[in-house]
Amino acid sequence: MADANLLQLNAELSLQLADYWHEIDFNGGRDASSYYVEEAEFHGQFASYIGVAKIQQFYDWRRDRGERLSVHGFTNFRARFTGEDSAEASNFLFLYARDGVRPLPSHEPVTISLATDRYVRRDGRWLCTYRRFEHLFESDVPVTNPDLDADK
């Protein structure tokens, strides 16, 4: 049987992840950076963003492209302590997304990924230090992973 601290960790981190994806899906990620530490790493299948400013730049870029509807759903959430104030979690992420406004035609998920996150607790709040998506399934709908350094 899991102990109370592990159950609390799983409840806190899964609720925070649900809040994060709600922020992305319904606010376009305007406040995405508030979920990360300054030096966070975000690794997608096709692009990586290092530092909270670059992560926020990704969400700003995606929002600036125009209307996009997305639903990030997750299941099989599992978290464990890696230290007194650190943890790691994994889940399966189902991404439904297309450019345009709702309602859009239904389709299979754009991706189904194994997501791995690492967290630290600072000032009583868990913040993400590392997020990685490994695609297990992909559809024919393109993902949005720009090279934010291409202009340089």
Side-chain angles (χ1 to χ4, degrees):
M1 176 184 251
D3 72 9
N5 290 333
L6 185 60
L7 292 173
Q8 175 83 18
L9 175 71
N10 274 270
E12 284 181 29
L13 290 180
S14 65
L15 178 57
Q16 183 170 304
L17 187 60
D19 289 344
Y20 174 77
W21 289 126
H22 190 270
E23 161 63 27
I24 302 308
D25 294 336
F26 292 99
N27 195 34
R30 284 174 180 81
D31 297 321
S33 61
S34 68
Y35 290 84
Y36 293 92
V37 297
E38 191 67 31
E39 65 279 8
E41 297 181 24
F42 184 109
H43 300 282
Q45 189 76 8
F46 305 110
S48 294
Y49 310 113
I50 308 300
V52 71
K54 193 60 79 173
I55 294 167
Q56 187 62 55
Q57 184 183 359
F58 162 70
Y59 286 112
D60 294 345
W61 171 88
R62 191 168 75 176
R63 200 173 51 256
D64 290 345
R65 290 178 58 242
E67 294 289 340
R68 184 165 176 87
L69 183 62
S70 67
V71 173
H72 293 78
F74 65 93
T75 189
N76 292 28
F77 184 89
R78 299 172 50 131
R80 65 183 182 86
F81 287 100
T82 56
E84 186 175 323
D85 289 316
S86 61
E88 184 170 283
S90 65
N91 64 87
F92 292 110
L93 178 68
F94 295 75
L95 171 60
Y96 296 84
R98 287 209 178 184
D99 292 341
V101 293
R102 70 181 186 189
L104 292 173
S106 184
H107 58 84
E108 70 274 4
V110 173
T111 61
I112 301 174
S113 302
L114 173 62
T116 303
D117 298 332
R118 295 183 191 136
Y119 297 91
V120 293
R121 187 169 30 204
R122 293 193 179 156
D123 300 321
R125 181 164 184 243
W126 290 102
L127 296 173
C128 187
T129 64
Y130 175 91
R131 178 159 282 145
R132 178 181 175 84
F133 304 103
E134 299 173 69
H135 293 185
L136 304 175
F137 295 91
E138 295 177 346
S139 75
D140 59 352
V141 176
V143 295
T144 54
N145 285 117
D147 180 356
L148 297 175
D149 295 321
D151 308 353
K152 295 180 181 181

